[in-house]
């Protein structure tokens, strides 16, 4: 930076910081500085928290200064230093695509034993169940929604509906007819795919915002039906006592014919968790494998072409109706698989589990991962679900903010803050490049700036 | 020009397209013959692209018949019977007859084998050049992949079909001079290369009739000369006839076998390039006439 260029930069930075500080002050005076507290007689009193306000506004000002004095100039220098006129992204992404999957698959395969070895039976259960299984469910949902949103470019805000269809299909059929988990798993997938096609038909002609609104409504319709169709779904009360998956007919319980007794082990709930972990891991891997295959098949290329330009697709003899419907159906099918697994794992389901918040979380995973990228979706699911779970564990923060500080209450705030930061830093998601499905001489990743986001 | 006229490939009869009160095309009739390059020219707003949209199924014409025949030319005698029976195609071992105005757009390309390009280039910009050409071969690859089922299970028949598709793509990449850039994203190509890629992509659908909407727009003279050669190669070596919308007269006059001139949705001339160039109505439509000659000119063109 030349000396005569430095003054305006510093001046601009101070001006920006002053504006941000003023905005933060205006927002935080009612939100933070003033606090309504109920006293001992049950009356509301107004308390003030000026020191906290000062700290927060100072943080905002410092952040603004840091951004305009350090981060932005650094980014500009970097953008000037490495222009990529041909639009092909660097080899780093391609390299990541090669070495990362085997490593990740190896790690998740040994993860339960690693957890048990490191933290023992007591702590291991939490790591396998709360982290492992929970994250893998979302990885699978992310892969499923990625087909619809990332590949075909159709924005679906009601994806949780298919998750719910899968869960209720398994729960009701297993309770009514006593069929086993592995019989019902494909059936739940097929039923969810059927609902996917049913959603697909009315939205075939819709684009963009209109498509998003209808899919959002579809998700709500399914949830409201689950709440109000009490004779079948038991309404708000939900369905309990859903049969659990068995190990080739051997149940995981404390009885004499249970898993532990048959294999001469001491009874522990950990065996079921490890078993469930491997089921969902297998399901997620199958989903990833099928999606990778689909991308290299004509149907996958047609999805991506549809995202890029629908009119051109039609001029090349591609039937956009069936192409869209297959995207909805296959995406929904994976959602249905995940749903039936969810019901089998929980043993209890209610409409509470299938709110719009779930759809939003899954969509956030897909967007954060980089639309269309499998590795990105997996990393984003680990970060989002694992991250929010980890925030429950931050008891260390109590030392900083005092004993009354409850980190779980700030979970969603910190989570939203992280999302904003990542979207500023990487607006096209963590993996912003597209991996071509076929190549003649050399596989070159396509820069995200050329890839369209679809009309959804 | 050939001595005896080649059999007709595309027959447009009494085509009328109205948008509300606006008559974009009025009672247009023309014929595109096999192995010929037919040019459709006219001033801006004459309705040329609307004709293309009607032929390729993007618009449903208000009135008229658009027919394409493959194979035996004697099939044309069945045209009226096909129109009356309400069906949209007639297939026989020695050929087929299609009524394009009854077909949805994707079937026009897939079954009637009429491919098109766009005035404002429509490539899949985030996909590589090679991928663009494979998307164009969707229908045969879809069959080879057992409508996705066999492909997901990894049957070798799909791998074979994909290799064949890549070979065909390679052929067109070599012909359009894009082979070195096959693995680059289509959106990163320079303008002229994007135009050529769009033609190559349309040719990968194995068309009998290729409709090019202003392929020379925005090209420099050298690129436009290369384009002429490419279009002539398509006509002569690939058994594909060409229907061309073009403003660049160096392209039209040099390579067309037959020129149709439109003005305000009405055909004002139809014939060889030399005949059209000297036609008074065409000159009037393109250049206008002096003020004191308007009435005489209007009387002459029949307004």
């Amino acid at each position: 930076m030349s000396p005569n260029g430095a003054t305006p930069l510093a001046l601009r930075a101070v001006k920006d910081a002053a504006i941000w500080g003023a905005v933060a002050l205006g927002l935080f005076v009612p939100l933070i500085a003033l606090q309504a507290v109920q006293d001992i007689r049950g009356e509301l009193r107004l308390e003030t928290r000026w020191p906290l306000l000062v700290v927060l506004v100072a943080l905002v000002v410092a952040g603004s200064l840091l951004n305009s004095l350090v981060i932005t100039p650094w980014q500009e220098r970097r953008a000037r230093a490495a222009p990529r006129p041909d639009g092909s992204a660097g080899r780093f992404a391609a390299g990541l695509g090669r070495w990362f999957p085997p490593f990740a698959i190896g790690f998740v395969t040994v993860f339960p034993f690693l957890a048990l070895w490191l933290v023992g039976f007591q702590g291991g259960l939490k790591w396998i169940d709360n982290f492992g299984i929970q994250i893998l469910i979302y990885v699978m949902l992310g892969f499923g929604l990625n087909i619809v949103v990332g590949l075909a470019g159709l924005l679906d805000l009601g994806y949780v509906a298919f998750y719910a269809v899968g869960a209720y299909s398994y729960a009701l059929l297993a309770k009514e007819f006593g069929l086993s988990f592995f019989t019902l798993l494909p059936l739940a997938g097929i039923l969810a795919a059927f609902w996917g096609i049913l959603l697909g038909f009315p939205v075939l002609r819709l684009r963009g915002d209109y498509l998003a609104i209808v899919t959002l409504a579809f998700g709500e319709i399914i949830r409201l039906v689950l709440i109000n169709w009490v004779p079948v779904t038991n309404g708000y009360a939900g369905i309990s006592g859903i049969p659990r998956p068995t190990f080739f007919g051997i149940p995981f319980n404390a009885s004499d014919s249970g898993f532990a007794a048959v294999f001469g082990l001491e009874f522990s709930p950990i065996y079921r968790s490890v078993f469930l972990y491997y089921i969902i891991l297998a399901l997620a891997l199958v989903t990833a494998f099928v999606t990778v295959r689909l991308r290299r098949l004509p149907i996958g290329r047609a999805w991506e072409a549809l995202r890029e330009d629908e009119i051109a697709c039609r001029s090349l003899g591609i039937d956009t109706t069936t192409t869209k419907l297959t995207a909805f159906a296959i995406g929904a099918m994976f959602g249905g698989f995940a749903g039936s697994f969810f019901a089998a794992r929980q043993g209890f389901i209610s409409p509470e589990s299938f709110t719009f918040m779930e759809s939003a979380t899954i969509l956030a995973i897909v967007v954060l991962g980089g639309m269309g990228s499998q590795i990105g979706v997996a990393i984003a699911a680990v970060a989002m679900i694992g991250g929010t779970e980890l925030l429950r564990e931050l008891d260390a923060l109590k030392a900083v903010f005092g004993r009354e500080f409850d980190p779980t209450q700030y979970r969603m705030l910190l989570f939203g803050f992280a999302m904003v930061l990542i979207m500023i830093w990487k607006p096209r998601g963590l993996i912003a490049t597209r991996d071509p499905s076929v190549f003649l001489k050399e596989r070159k990743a396509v820069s995200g700036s050329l890839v369209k986001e679809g009309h959804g | 020009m050939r001595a005896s006229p080649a059999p007709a490939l595309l027959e447009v009869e009494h085509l009328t397209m109205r948008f509300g009160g606006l008559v974009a095309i009025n009672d247009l009739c023309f014929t595109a013959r096999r192995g010929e390059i037919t040019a459709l020219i006219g001033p801006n707003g004459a309705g040329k692209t609307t004709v293309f949209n009607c032929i390729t199924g993007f618009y449903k014409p208000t009135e008229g018949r658009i027919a394409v025949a493959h194979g035996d030319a004697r099939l044309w005698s069945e045209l009226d019977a096909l129109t009356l029976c309400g069906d949209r195609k007639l297939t026989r071992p020695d050929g087929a007859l299609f009524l394009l105005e009854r077909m949805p757009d994707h079937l026009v390309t897939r079954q009637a084998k009429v491919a098109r390009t766009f005035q404002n280039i429509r490539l899949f910009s985030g996909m590589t050049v090679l991928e663009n050409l494979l998307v164009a071969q969707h229908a045969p690859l879809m069959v080879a992949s057992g409508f996705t089922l066999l492909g997901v299970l990894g049957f070798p028949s799909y791998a074979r079909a994909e290799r064949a598709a890549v070979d065909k793509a390679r052929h067109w990449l070599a012909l359009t001079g894009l082979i070195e850039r096959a693995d680059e994203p289509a959106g990163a190509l320079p303008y002229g290369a994007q135009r050529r890629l769009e033609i190559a992509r349309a040719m990968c659908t194995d068309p009998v009739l290729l409709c090019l909407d202003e392929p020379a727009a925005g090209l420099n003279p050298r690129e436009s000369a290369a384009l002429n050669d490419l279009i002539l190669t398509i006509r002569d070596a690939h058994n594909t006839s060409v229907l061309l919308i073009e403003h660049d007269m160096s392209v039209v006059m040099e390579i067309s076998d037959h020129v149709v001139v439109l003005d305000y949705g009405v055909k004002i001339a139809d014939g060889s390039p030399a005949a059209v160039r000297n036609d008074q109505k065409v000159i009037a439509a393109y250049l206008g006439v002096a003020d004191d000659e308007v009435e005489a000119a209007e009387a002459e063109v029949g307004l």
Side-chain angles (χ1 to χ4, degrees):
Chain A
M1 214 33 68
S2 62
N4 53 352
T7 331
L9 179 74
L11 202 69
R12 243 182 311 146
V14 170
K15 212 168 93 184
D16 275 358
I19 293 172
W20 279 109
V23 170
L25 191 71
L27 276 176
F28 288 160
V29 163
L31 285 178
I32 304 234
L34 304 177
Q35 190 184 21
V37 182
Q38 222 165 21
D39 67 8
I40 243 159
R41 284 172 297 175
E43 287 170 2
L44 277 180
R45 277 187 304 109
L46 208 57
E47 282 190 356
T48 54
R49 297 192 286 184
W50 298 116
L52 187 60
L53 175 75
V54 170
V55 168
L56 285 175
V57 171
L59 273 177
V60 169
V61 170
S64 165
L65 283 175
L66 186 75
N67 180 39
S68 41
L69 287 177
V70 181
I71 297 174
T72 314
W74 175 72
Q75 275 180 339
E76 277 167 7
R77 266 202 308 281
R78 210 176 59 153
R80 269 201 304 275
R84 291 203 189 99
D86 61 345
S88 61
R91 261 148 245 253
F92 172 73
L96 184 74
R98 252 193 298 285
W99 65 257
F100 185 79
F103 172 77
I105 291 170
F107 176 77
V108 292
T109 312
V110 300
F111 173 76
F113 297 102
L114 205 63
L116 290 178
W117 180 57
L118 286 175
V119 290
F121 265 45
Q122 285 305 315
L125 184 63
K126 186 186 78 189
W127 281 95
I128 295 169
D129 201 58
N130 288 11
F131 284 86
I133 295 179
Q134 189 73 5
I135 289 172
L136 282 173
I137 288 179
Y138 280 91
V139 167
M140 182 154 176
L141 288 170
F143 283 164
L145 185 60
N146 191 26
I147 291 176
V148 184
V149 178
L151 295 183
L154 304 160
L155 184 55
D156 186 349
L157 290 181
Y159 190 64
V160 77
F162 309 122
Y163 189 40
V165 167
Y168 272 85
S169 304
Y170 171 69
L172 293 171
L173 293 174
K175 282 196 78 171
E176 291 297 319
F177 302 106
L179 296 171
S180 81
F181 174 72
F182 293 101
T183 320
L184 288 176
L185 184 70
L187 201 61
I190 289 167
L191 282 172
F194 169 74
W195 283 96
I197 293 172
L198 219 60
L199 165 68
F201 268 114
V203 303
L204 278 174
R205 297 153 60 91
L206 300 180
R207 288 155 170 263
D209 307 349
Y210 305 98
L211 174 68
I213 290 170
V214 174
T215 53
L216 173 69
F218 181 77
E220 287 302 291
I221 288 170
I222 295 279
R223 193 173 66 87
L224 289 173
V225 167
L226 293 179
I227 289 171
N228 290 306
W229 198 7
V230 179
V232 174
T233 64
N234 204 18
Y236 274 118
I239 300 173
S240 54
I242 300 167
R244 301 307 195 86
T246 57
F247 185 77
F248 300 105
I250 307 171
F252 289 89
N253 56 23
S255 70
D256 284 345
S257 58
F259 181 83
V262 168
F263 287 87
L265 302 159
E266 199 180 326
F267 175 74
S268 163
I270 199 87
Y271 302 124
R272 174 190 283 156
S273 288
V274 172
F275 179 60
L276 286 174
Y277 177 88
Y278 280 109
I279 293 179
I280 186 68
L281 178 61
L283 283 174
L285 287 180
V286 165
T287 310
F289 175 76
V290 169
T291 314
V292 166
R293 268 272 163 88
L294 285 175
R295 269 201 68 205
R296 290 177 190 162
L297 286 172
I299 187 72
R301 290 202 195 101
W303 287 337
E304 292 202 76
L306 194 68
R307 175 191 68 202
E308 299 286 322
D309 194 324
E310 187 177 339
I311 304 253
C313 274
R314 280 157 50 189
S315 84
L316 296 173
I318 295 175
D319 185 351
T320 50
T321 306
T322 50
T323 307
K324 279 185 189 179
L325 287 181
T326 45
F328 273 118
I330 293 179
M333 183 180 75
F334 290 129
F337 287 154
S340 68
F341 174 81
F342 174 76
R345 172 222 185 190
Q346 299 289 98
F348 166 76
I349 48 169
S350 77
E352 299 278 291
S353 310
F354 309 107
T355 55
F356 172 65
M357 191 58 213
E358 291 297 308
S359 287
T361 309
I362 305 164
L363 187 66
I365 288 174
V366 173
V367 173
L368 186 66
M371 304 222 292
S373 161
Q374 303 259 1
I375 300 171
V377 166
I379 296 174
V382 171
M384 297 251 315
I385 306 305
T388 46
E389 287 294 320
L390 265 184
L391 286 174
R392 290 185 205 274
E393 312 286 319
L394 296 178
D395 283 342
L397 287 176
K398 281 189 178 166
V400 184
F401 293 101
R403 295 203 58 78
E404 269 139 64
F405 180 79
D406 181 4
T408 55
Q409 289 191 344
Y410 290 83
R411 223 155 53 97
M412 295 318 276
L413 181 72
L414 290 175
F415 168 72
F417 191 61
M419 284 287 284
V420 171
L421 278 188
I422 289 173
M423 285 293 123
I424 291 173
W425 171 54
K426 285 226 163 225
R428 296 297 301 249
L430 295 174
I431 308 284
T433 57
R434 180 182 166 272
D435 192 27
S437 64
V438 62
F439 62 96
L440 209 55
K441 292 191 187 75
E442 182 192 6
R443 187 181 289 278
K444 296 183 201 163
V446 177
S447 155
S449 56
L450 292 168
V451 180
K452 299 213 173 73
E453 286 154 32
H455 46 68
Chain B
M1 289 329 93
R2 286 118 219 243
S4 67
L9 175 68
L10 170 80
E11 192 86 58
V12 175
E13 293 165 276
H14 304 291
L15 179 67
T16 300
M17 183 79 210
R18 291 192 200 96
F19 298 101
L22 176 78
V23 183
I25 311 167
N26 193 2
D27 201 27
L28 173 70
C29 303
F30 73 91
T31 305
R33 297 185 180 283
R34 247 173 242 179
E36 285 194 355
I37 295 173
T38 308
L40 194 59
I41 65 170
N44 286 329
K48 306 180 294 291
T49 299
T50 308
V51 173
F52 261 38
N53 283 339
C54 289
I55 291 173
T56 51
F58 280 79
Y59 290 161
K60 287 277 157 275
T62 320
E63 279 169 36
R65 179 164 72 183
I66 308 167
V68 162
H70 299 176
D72 194 348
R74 280 169 298 182
L75 267 169
W76 280 114
S77 58
E78 305 285 334
L79 184 59
D80 288 328
L82 175 63
T83 311
L84 277 176
C85 85
D87 225 349
R88 62 188 175 202
K89 65 176 178 193
L90 170 78
T91 38
R92 286 207 313 224
D94 57 345
L97 196 60
F98 298 92
L99 290 178
L100 301 188
E101 81 277 6
R102 295 182 181 175
M103 299 172 82
D105 42 24
H106 63 275
L107 291 184
V108 169
T109 307
R110 194 185 291 189
Q111 297 181 345
K113 298 275 170 208
V114 176
R116 72 170 294 178
T117 65
F118 295 89
Q119 195 173 350
N120 44 344
I121 305 172
R122 285 184 174 275
L123 290 172
F124 306 123
S125 62
M127 303 174 84
T128 66
V129 170
L130 181 62
E131 282 179 305
N132 268 272
L133 298 188
L134 289 192
V135 170
Q137 303 177 51
H138 178 79
L141 283 177
M142 203 67 187
V143 174
S145 73
F147 296 93
T148 308
L149 264 177
L150 301 182
V152 167
L153 298 175
F155 273 68
S157 64
Y158 173 66
R160 266 200 306 276
E162 194 184 34
R163 270 199 299 280
V166 170
D167 283 340
K168 187 199 264 182
R170 194 181 277 137
H171 168 77
W172 281 105
L173 288 173
L175 215 58
T176 48
L178 294 168
I179 194 94
E180 292 305 318
R181 316 195 69 159
D183 297 321
E184 284 176 33
L189 295 180
Y191 191 80
Q194 292 196 7
R195 283 258 176 237
R196 293 201 301 278
L197 175 58
E198 213 190 9
I199 295 174
R201 190 180 66 177
M203 286 309 294
C204 277
T205 62
D206 289 330
V208 295
L209 177 67
L210 177 66
C211 301
L212 300 173
D213 198 344
E214 298 203 22
L219 299 189
N220 64 34
R222 210 182 48 186
E223 286 175 320
S224 167
L227 179 77
N228 283 358
D229 292 340
L230 177 63
I231 296 175
L232 289 173
T233 313
I234 286 170
R235 181 191 69 182
D236 298 334
H238 292 87
N239 198 22
T240 300
S241 315
V242 178
L243 184 63
L244 181 74
I245 291 181
E246 192 48 73
H247 277 302
D248 187 336
M249 287 303 145
S250 72
V251 174
V252 173
M253 294 304 163
E254 212 168 294
I255 64 172
S256 323
D257 301 305
H258 177 110
V259 179
V260 177
V261 190
L262 278 186
D263 192 20
Y264 294 110
V266 181
K267 185 169 86 173
I268 56 172
D270 187 346
S272 71
V276 163
R277 188 167 16 196
N278 299 321
D279 190 294
Q280 285 306 311
K281 289 182 194 173
V282 176
I283 294 169
Y286 266 90
L287 302 177
V289 289
D291 276 350
D292 51 340
E293 293 168 20
V294 167
E295 264 178 41
E298 279 184 347
E300 192 180 335
V301 302
L303 281 173

